Amino acid sequence: MTSGHTQTRPLTRRRALFQIGGAACVLPGIGAFARTATPPMAHDMVRPPRLRNGDVLGLVAPAGFVADRFGIDEIGATVRAMGLEPRFAPHLTTREGYLAGSDTVRAHDLMAMFADDGVRAIMAVRGGWGSARLLPYLDFAAIRRKPKLFAGFSDNTALHMALARTGIVSIHGPNASTSWPPASWESFRQIAFEGAMPTYATPSYSGPNLGGRGSGARTFRGGKARGRLLGGNLSVLTALVGTPYLPDFTGAILFLEETNESEYRIDRMLTQLALSGILGKVAGVVFGQCTHCENPDGGFSNFTVYEVLDRRFASLGVPAFQGMMIGHVAGQISIPSGTMAEIDADAGTLRLLEPAVS
């Protein structure tokens, strides 16, 4: 079942002893840990230190594994091109099914990076599935005492949400193994290195008018709104509904993206967010890109993705639009989760109102 390591047995009735940062760390079983170490709801956000040239960037695999050492070499070259020094978690290429090792192994790798004083920030190498499985094993109190910038997207939405609940700003942006075209790198550099507060605009669209004003924005309801940016991948976020790892969305600007989901599944997940009360709390909505979001069988859905979003968001009574370069696309921008921002749904813009880093 596994390759390169011994499978860790379930921790239901025992305790595992890990070595983190030179100190012994006792990790209780997942059931007990979930009852005793749920991250408290924080209303004040902590901005982690900014990146500087020459800093060490910790690289972790909270979900899927890296295929081979050549993938590691490529990731290392990418990080060095950023002016940073990579530090690889030991289990990036470990395989347990579709995961980079057991839940406890992956949680240990992540906590070790937070505990390592030589590591300035942390980035996920990829997504996949499995980040939510780590949440009961993480010491969020320890993470808040020594906050570090965490970056990644897709399945890493689970970590962004738990960090936001803990009160720590993070970056929803490219994973380390993602392609880094100039637009993506410039966005990340401005946010993580400079602490800049840019205004992002939806890219122009040369085809039929989709409702924006001089842009490719699809405006569901016009107007401006301010709030704390919270969100990420729609399916991962929705899967956390009913768990103790979601932050308070009251007054938030909800940003979403998705890939490889049919129109009716998008409808189903948005309905769940509505029924759970989350959509009714937000001050505004930005839906980025929905990549390959068509029913592969054809004919099942009578709605386009745009119609699904329009029917759901137009009736919310808050500014909402689609088209920002957020998600599974080349040239995606970095969105600081937990920072204040203002959106203009008519113009299709998102303006940061405070830096993501200190």
Side-chain angles (χ1 to χ4, degrees), residues 201-260:
T202 54
S204 60
Y205 182 71
S206 58
N209 184 8
L210 296 177
R213 296 181 178 177
S215 75
R218 299 179 176 188
T219 302
F220 306 117
R221 187 180 181 92
K224 295 182 180 180
R226 291 188 175 193
R228 201 166 297 284
L229 286 166
L230 294 173
N233 181 264
L234 175 60
S235 59
V236 177
L237 190 154
T238 304
L240 291 177
V241 171
T243 75
Y245 298 103
L246 282 179
D248 183 2
F249 284 85
T250 302
I253 302 296
L254 174 65
F255 68 93
L256 297 168
E257 61 87 20
E258 192 50 89
T259 185
N260 293 321

Side-chain angles (χ1 to χ4, degrees), residues 28-106:
I30 186 169
F33 202 88
R35 289 192 296 271
T36 60
T38 298
M41 186 78 76
H43 299 285
D44 58 321
M45 299 301 295
V46 176
R47 295 194 296 270
R50 70 187 61 203
L51 279 167
R52 307 159 302 188
N53 286 336
D55 279 341
V56 173
L57 180 67
L59 296 159
V60 296
F65 55 82
V66 179
D68 52 42
R69 66 178 179 86
F70 299 105
I72 297 291
D73 292 342
E74 292 176 0
I75 292 169
T78 297
V79 172
R80 291 187 182 94
M82 297 177 181
L84 303 171
E85 184 62 31
R87 181 167 299 175
F88 300 103
H91 298 97
L92 298 187
T93 59
T94 299
R95 302 186 186 188
E96 182 168 301
Y98 40 75
L99 303 169
S102 68
D103 295 345
T104 53
V105 161
R106 300 191 328 278

Side-chain angles (χ1 to χ4, degrees), residues 314-333:
S315 61
L316 278 183
V318 299
F321 70 98
Q322 181 194 11
M324 195 69 63
M325 292 298 287
I326 304 170
H328 291 70
V329 289
Q332 70 163 305
I333 59 176

Side-chain angles (χ1 to χ4, degrees), residues 54-204:
D55 279 341
V56 173
L57 180 67
L59 296 159
V60 296
F65 55 82
V66 179
D68 52 42
R69 66 178 179 86
F70 299 105
I72 297 291
D73 292 342
E74 292 176 0
I75 292 169
T78 297
V79 172
R80 291 187 182 94
M82 297 177 181
L84 303 171
E85 184 62 31
R87 181 167 299 175
F88 300 103
H91 298 97
L92 298 187
T93 59
T94 299
R95 302 186 186 188
E96 182 168 301
Y98 40 75
L99 303 169
S102 68
D103 295 345
T104 53
V105 161
R106 300 191 328 278
H108 172 265
D109 279 359
L110 182 56
M111 286 304 304
M113 289 297 183
F114 276 111
D116 189 339
D117 291 334
V119 173
R120 182 79 167 184
I122 304 166
M123 183 177 287
V125 295
R126 56 160 297 181
W129 156 249
S131 297
R133 295 172 57 138
L134 302 188
L135 299 181
Y137 293 97
L138 302 179
D139 187 343
F140 291 99
I143 292 172
R144 183 175 168 92
R145 287 194 297 269
K146 192 187 297 184
K148 295 181 181 180
L149 189 64
F150 175 80
F153 84 114
S154 193
D155 189 66
N156 296 291
T157 294
L159 295 171
H160 289 304
M161 291 295 90
L163 289 171
R165 180 183 174 92
T166 307
I168 301 172
V169 173
S170 57
I171 292 182
H172 180 280
N175 298 321
S177 63
T178 309
S179 64
W180 284 81
S184 292
W185 162 240
E186 181 62 18
S187 174
F188 180 77
R189 185 191 64 78
Q190 288 182 345
I191 300 299
F193 285 74
E194 296 183 359
M197 296 176 288
T199 296
Y200 293 125
T202 54
S204 60

Side-chain angles (χ1 to χ4, degrees), residues 258-330:
E258 192 50 89
T259 185
N260 293 321
E261 293 287 358
S262 299
E263 299 91 342
Y264 78 95
R265 292 178 180 174
I266 301 295
D267 189 1
R268 182 185 66 201
M269 290 184 282
L270 291 176
T271 299
Q272 185 175 358
L273 292 184
L275 294 176
S276 69
I278 289 176
L279 288 187
K281 295 179 178 180
V282 302
V285 179
V286 179
F287 201 106
Q289 302 297 313
C290 205
T291 308
H292 304 305
C293 292
E294 300 87 21
N295 181 26
D297 299 326
F300 182 86
S301 174
N302 292 321
F303 293 124
T304 65
V305 170
Y306 169 68
E307 288 173 323
V308 170
L309 300 180
D310 189 35
R311 286 167 176 262
R312 178 59 64 185
F313 295 140
S315 61
L316 278 183
V318 299
F321 70 98
Q322 181 194 11
M324 195 69 63
M325 292 298 287
I326 304 170
H328 291 70
V329 289

